[in-house]
Amino acid sequence: MNFPFHRSILLRKAALPLAATALAFGAAIPAVLAGATPAQADQATPVVVDSTRHEGKYLSLTFDDGPDPVNTPRLLAALEKHHVKATFCLWGDHVKQHPEIVRQIADAGHLLCNHTMHHDNMESWSADAIRADLEETSAVIRQAVPEAKINYFRAPYGSWGGTPQVAAGLGMQPLGWATVVGDWDPPGTAELVRRLKEGIRPGGVVLLHDGGGDRTQTVEAVDQIIPELKSEGWRFDRPARRG
């Protein structure tokens, strides 16, 4: 994500109920969108999920704005070393540039998430415009990985607008987050590790980035914190599949 104004956008989501955050740098995503209608168990819902599939001392790592030709392979190596699966929210333009890295992500068993084609703010877009963008993005991902399962959608900048309903209609669960640590403006590896330790909560989805800029510090922080968290009894899970 290009996040210079990300934090301000999150804070002005008056139309969506926001969960309380543990830290000043954290940002929560609405648990339920107003007007969301129930769906059958095998259907995506227009509820923005920010939790893991299991309750307790679990967390789910998610990475936005890739694939990146340098940072994503390094991140994949770190995740493999520590035996952790994550969710990669893919920016369509970057997928077109680096389809081979998308294949590496899928081959390693990680989950794929649609993060739009051009990383636009869709808050005021019509349903038809949103649908066209999401369908194009999924098509580009499947050009790289035929028959890829794309179970999630994440709106750039946290600007959901009408995207949750459209994404659910396309079979993708809107994916939010419970913890965000500001790695789009790298504060140093040690600071990222500190923010992660203080910001995570049981059963929460963590937002990080493998693309959109130099993510060296993010990769280093992930490589460092996974064994530390495991030693403290944390386990790594996938995001909830349904709202």
Side-chain angles (χ1 to χ4, degrees):
M1 292 182 173
N2 293 329
F3 269 91
F5 58 96
H6 175 74
R7 196 175 281 116
S8 64
I9 288 176
L10 285 173
L11 294 176
R12 66 180 175 80
K13 292 290 156 201
L16 300 177
L18 296 180
T21 57
L23 294 171
F25 61 80
I29 292 300
V32 180
L33 292 176
T37 57
Q40 297 178 0
D42 61 346
Q43 295 177 321
T45 70
V47 176
V48 181
V49 299
D50 63 1
S51 61
T52 58
R53 299 190 183 191
H54 299 89
E55 297 181 355
K57 208 168 183 180
Y58 289 89
L59 65 117
S60 181
L61 298 179
T62 67
F63 299 93
D64 282 12
D65 298 353
D68 178 88
V70 176
N71 296 301
T72 305
R74 293 183 59 221
L75 178 61
L76 289 172
L79 294 171
E80 181 179 10
K81 179 173 70 173
H82 299 299
H83 308 290
V84 168
K85 300 300 181 187
T87 303
F88 286 79
C89 299
L90 302 171
W91 180 335
D93 289 325
H94 296 169
V95 171
K96 291 178 68 175
Q97 295 167 2
H98 308 290
E100 74 286 353
I101 301 178
V102 180
R103 289 191 286 272
Q104 292 176 26
I105 294 170
D107 288 346
H110 301 288
L111 299 180
L112 304 181
C113 170
N114 182 317
H115 196 39
T116 76
M117 194 66 206
H118 310 298
H119 205 276
D120 293 315
N121 184 330
M122 293 182 166
E123 185 174 24
S124 62
W125 285 28
S126 70
D128 287 343
I130 294 169
R131 185 176 298 104
D133 186 287
L134 270 56
E135 288 178 339
E136 181 183 5
T137 307
S138 290
V140 168
I141 294 171
R142 290 191 173 108
Q143 287 176 6
V145 183
E147 301 182 1
K149 291 183 179 180
I150 308 169
N151 290 330
Y152 299 95
F153 163 76
R154 175 172 279 165
Y157 311 110
S159 297
W160 294 99
T163 62
Q165 291 82 358
V166 175
L170 296 173
M172 296 182 290
Q173 187 66 40
L175 177 61
W177 56 86
T179 301
V180 57
V181 298
D183 66 333
W184 59 87
D185 184 15
T189 300
E191 175 62 13
L192 284 177
V193 170
R194 185 193 69 79
R195 293 179 184 181
L196 284 165
K197 286 183 176 180
E198 295 185 4
I200 58 174
R201 64 172 178 78
V205 173
V206 179
L207 170 63
L208 294 162
H209 297 79
D210 64 318
D214 182 0
R215 305 304 178 205
T216 300
Q217 294 178 11
T218 298
V219 175
E220 292 173 347
V222 168
D223 190 26
Q224 178 178 330
I225 200 169
I226 288 176
E228 293 183 13
L229 292 176
K230 282 186 173 182
S231 70
E232 297 171 5
W234 287 90
R235 289 180 284 183
F236 293 84
D237 198 5
R238 298 187 176 200
R241 182 66 185 94
R242 298 286 182 259

